Amino acid sequence: MQTFRIIQPTPALKPFIRYYWILQDSTSGIVSQRTLPTGCMSLVFHRGERLKVMNRDELQPQSFICGQESGYSDVTSTGDIEMIVVVFQPHAAKIFFHMPVTLLRDRNVAVADIENPALRDLAHRVEDSENHDICIELIENYFYKCLMYGTPYHLPRLAEVVRHINNSTQTNIRALSNIACLSEKQFSRIFSENIGTTPKDFMRIVRLQRTLSVLQHNPGIGFAQLSYECGYTDQSHMIKEFKLFSGYTPKEYIARYSPVSDYFTF
């Protein structure tokens, strides 16, 4: 049996956290899933058995920060799953971890390996709590305490840049740096330090997620129209990019999975 819940953060945390999700799955046997880059970092707590990342031939840590991903991963269940996941706004994770999040790209970094006693304590308390409501309360209290130290002055400008990317199928670094009121060199550095990937790669991931969203809501769309609506130069460009990020062409992917955009749906 599987249950899946999306929980919205309190209004004061919404500028920094997109949502929380909770998954419980007691399905017998091995269950595999392909995950694609979402454009957002996350903080993951396993209260049950951990997942195995097949590409790396390793188990996920008990609690870990998941950095920006540049490609797909195949994960497999190893038993009863109970996960609580914090999904950050694309530009906000650095506030809570106090490090350039480019260091976390394509990595699952165990909380136990981070020099942050308060975060390690949170992980232990979440793992030992009686129910999910208490877990969410503990997590939100931790984030509130982090925000007491203030937020970077450039956070609003990055939020505006991300909003522009979300609403535009065509944009470029010059336009984004103008929105941020920074030189292109400054903008690229600050963007990468806070979002965990380059502006160009982030835009490509958002474009992938937009493609999944269009397929989700308009499954009968032709691929030529799909490539136009999502901002690719042509259909072959879309197919090449989609396969790079997912391992499949769009046609192969929708034959195996129901397209869902984690970025534009929740």
Side-chain angles (χ1 to χ4, degrees):
M1 180 178 176
Q2 183 183 104
T3 60
F4 181 77
R5 291 172 59 198
I6 293 286
I7 300 172
Q8 295 298 323
T10 54
L13 290 174
K14 189 63 178 174
F16 313 101
I17 298 166
R18 290 174 67 89
Y19 54 86
Y20 311 103
W21 59 262
I22 300 174
L23 172 66
Q24 289 184 279
D25 193 342
S26 57
T27 305
S28 59
I30 296 175
V31 178
S32 297
Q33 180 66 42
R34 176 157 294 188
T35 65
L36 308 186
T38 64
C40 299
M41 290 179 54
S42 57
L43 176 60
V44 180
F45 302 96
H46 282 297
R47 285 163 49 91
E49 297 297 324
R50 296 176 288 165
L51 301 179
K52 184 172 184 179
V53 184
M54 303 304 292
N55 315 51
R56 305 169 189 165
D57 193 27
E58 64 183 21
L59 287 175
Q60 292 179 342
Q62 195 71 36
S63 300
F64 63 96
I65 305 169
C66 178
Q68 288 279 8
E69 299 282 355
S70 60
Y72 63 88
S73 294
D74 291 312
V75 294
T76 303
S77 68
T78 58
D80 288 348
I81 300 169
E82 185 180 355
M83 300 173 66
I84 298 177
V85 179
V86 182
V87 180
F88 297 100
Q89 298 288 2
H91 57 285
K94 184 176 182 289
I95 302 169
F96 304 109
F97 303 127
H98 309 295
M99 67 177 77
V101 291
T102 46
L103 300 174
L104 304 173
R105 187 175 185 184
D106 287 318
R107 296 178 64 196
N108 292 334
V109 179
V111 168
D113 295 337
I114 298 173
E115 292 298 322
N116 187 330
L119 183 58
R120 291 201 298 266
D121 179 65
L122 172 66
H124 290 310
R125 295 175 71 187
V126 167
E127 291 164 19
D128 296 338
S129 292
E130 294 181 7
N131 60 61
H132 296 149
D133 290 338
I134 294 175
C135 292
I136 297 300
E137 183 179 353
L138 289 168
I139 291 168
E140 292 215 318
N141 286 340
Y142 171 81
F143 291 141
Y144 277 125
K145 290 178 182 177
C146 291
L147 293 176
M148 289 173 60
Y149 298 100
T151 58
Y153 71 93
H154 52 252
L155 197 69
R157 66 181 73 185
L158 287 175
E160 191 59 36
V161 165
V162 170
R163 188 177 299 112
H164 178 75
I165 293 171
N166 293 347
N167 294 330
S168 305
T169 57
Q170 296 285 352
T171 191
N172 55 55
I173 304 299
R174 176 173 294 180
L176 298 179
S177 62
N178 287 339
I179 291 170
C181 299
L182 295 166
S183 70
E184 291 186 34
K185 184 176 181 180
Q186 283 180 307
F187 168 72
S188 295
R189 176 180 58 80
I190 290 172
F191 187 100
S192 297
E193 287 179 356
N194 285 271
I195 293 182
T197 188
T198 66
K200 180 180 178 181
D201 285 345
F202 181 76
M203 287 188 285
R204 292 169 67 207
I205 291 169
V206 172
R207 188 168 55 194
L208 167 74
Q209 289 292 325
R210 181 175 284 110
T211 305
L212 291 169
S213 180
V214 173
L215 286 170
Q216 179 182 354
H217 294 100
N218 188 3
I221 191 171
F223 287 163
Q225 181 66 21
L226 177 65
S227 63
Y228 172 76
E229 288 192 12
C230 295
Y232 296 95
T233 55
D234 53 33
Q235 185 173 332
S236 62
H237 179 215
M238 178 191 70
I239 292 171
K240 180 180 178 181
E241 286 278 290
F242 197 97
K243 188 166 186 177
L244 179 68
F245 284 119
S246 73
Y248 298 114
T249 67
K251 183 177 181 180
E252 292 169 341
Y253 187 85
I254 60 180
R256 290 168 171 81
Y257 304 103
S258 297
V260 175
S261 170
D262 294 314
Y263 191 85
F264 286 107
T265 299
F266 302 114

